[in-house]
Amino acid sequence: MLVLLPPSEGKAAGGSGAPLKPEALSLPGLAAARAAVLEELVELCAGDEAAAREVLGLSEGLRGEVAKNVELRSAAARPAGEIYTGVLYDALGLADLTPAARKLAEDALLVFSGLWGAVRITDPIPSYRCSMGVKLPGLGALGAYWRGPMAEVMPGAAGEGLVLDLRSSAYASAWKPKGEVAGRTATVRVLHAQVVDGVEKRSVVSHFNKATKGRMVRDLLSAGAVPAGPAELVTALRDLGYVVEAEPPAKAGKAWSLDVVVTRIH
């Protein structure tokens, strides 16, 4: 099983670990592309601060993020699973998983990134600010930039089992499963169901979409569930108490779309 996650906008400080060692990161086939993004990002942030903030989509109150990017090569690094914070990662709760669930998480979770392309939760990285929606002056839109490198490495990284794609649209733009891999890929939408005047109405949630996805992954890991494919994932989630609606794709080579329906938002 491979679980594709978005990163978080906010990130924990790098701490006191050793600096980044690019050659130690997972998916070494992305090394050249990572080096190019890192070089341009550092150069951008070392120049005009206002211009850098505009490119990165940062308010003046986040100017410290620009200075942080300047020091990326020498800043302390720590495992990506500790760097990424926010709603999904709070609900996932990597820090207090059982040893067995933690081992499964280390093997299964892959976090997409505008700067790194994708990293495992064990990969030591510094705290940074660079979303997939950024358009760097030299490399252009990062979502488009990463498509070529990711197309080279992801089919191998996907292995032969389920690919559970929980990325937001910006990060999904960097790699779209195709062919046989797409057939064993499942995307998930979280819907909030409530009855209004006797009629059930459903709406897509945002903040709680992330929380539900984090809890869902945690529950799968804690149960030791390793579904072989989308159909088995539906069964596993239902066994865990989730209300899941799904139908096989109409055409071969298309991903499954799963709706997880919740009645309480928390």
Side-chain angles (χ1 to χ4, degrees):
M1 177 174 70
L2 183 68
V3 182
L4 310 181
L5 297 176
S8 58
E9 285 297 318
K11 299 173 183 68
S16 57
L20 171 72
K21 294 182 179 179
E23 69 278 4
L25 299 180
S26 302
L27 305 180
L30 298 178
R34 287 168 174 155
V37 178
L38 178 62
E39 180 177 3
E40 181 164 354
L41 180 62
V42 171
E43 182 178 352
L44 169 71
C45 292
D48 183 84
E49 182 200 275
R53 284 197 290 107
E54 183 175 359
V55 170
L56 297 176
L58 301 175
S59 66
E60 186 171 358
L62 292 174
R63 61 194 308 171
E65 299 292 285
V66 175
K68 181 167 65 177
N69 281 349
V70 176
E71 306 298 329
L72 283 174
R73 292 191 180 94
S74 59
R78 59 197 289 194
E82 298 176 13
I83 289 288
Y84 294 119
T85 60
V87 176
L88 188 153
Y89 291 90
D90 285 346
L92 175 53
L94 290 170
D96 60 0
L97 288 174
T98 65
R102 174 71 188 199
K103 178 61 170 63
L104 186 54
E106 292 174 357
D107 293 338
L109 305 187
L110 191 67
V111 185
F112 272 60
S113 162
L115 174 54
W116 313 114
V119 292
R120 300 282 185 183
I121 61 170
T122 52
D123 285 339
I125 58 174
S127 183
Y128 68 96
R129 192 65 172 249
C130 183
S131 72
M132 193 66 81
V134 164
K135 184 177 182 179
L136 292 175
L139 299 177
L142 290 177
Y145 170 80
W146 280 111
R147 285 175 199 154
M150 297 303 287
E152 293 291 327
V153 305
M154 283 306 300
E160 299 180 352
L162 168 72
V163 177
L164 175 53
D165 190 352
L166 302 180
R167 298 172 296 168
S168 57
S169 57
Y171 291 89
S173 70
W175 179 65
K176 182 177 180 180
K178 298 182 184 298
E180 181 270 335
V181 177
R184 49 188 169 87
T185 296
T187 62
V188 173
R189 180 175 63 165
V190 178
L191 298 178
H192 178 219
Q194 53 186 333
V195 177
V196 179
D197 297 329
V199 179
E200 182 182 85
K201 296 185 177 181
R202 295 181 176 184
S203 59
V204 177
V205 293
S206 176
H207 173 94
F208 302 101
N209 165 63
K210 297 175 183 177
T212 299
K213 288 179 177 178
R215 283 193 292 269
M216 184 178 68
V217 174
R218 181 184 177 87
D219 288 345
L220 287 169
L221 296 172
S222 297
V226 186
E232 292 82 1
L233 172 65
V234 173
T235 299
L237 289 174
R238 287 174 177 167
D239 288 345
L240 289 167
Y242 290 89
V243 177
V244 183
E245 298 176 355
E247 291 185 4
K251 296 181 180 179
K254 298 291 184 180
W256 287 52
S257 295
L258 277 56
D259 285 341
V260 173
V261 184
V262 298
T263 55
R264 291 188 304 160
I265 292 180
H266 60 93

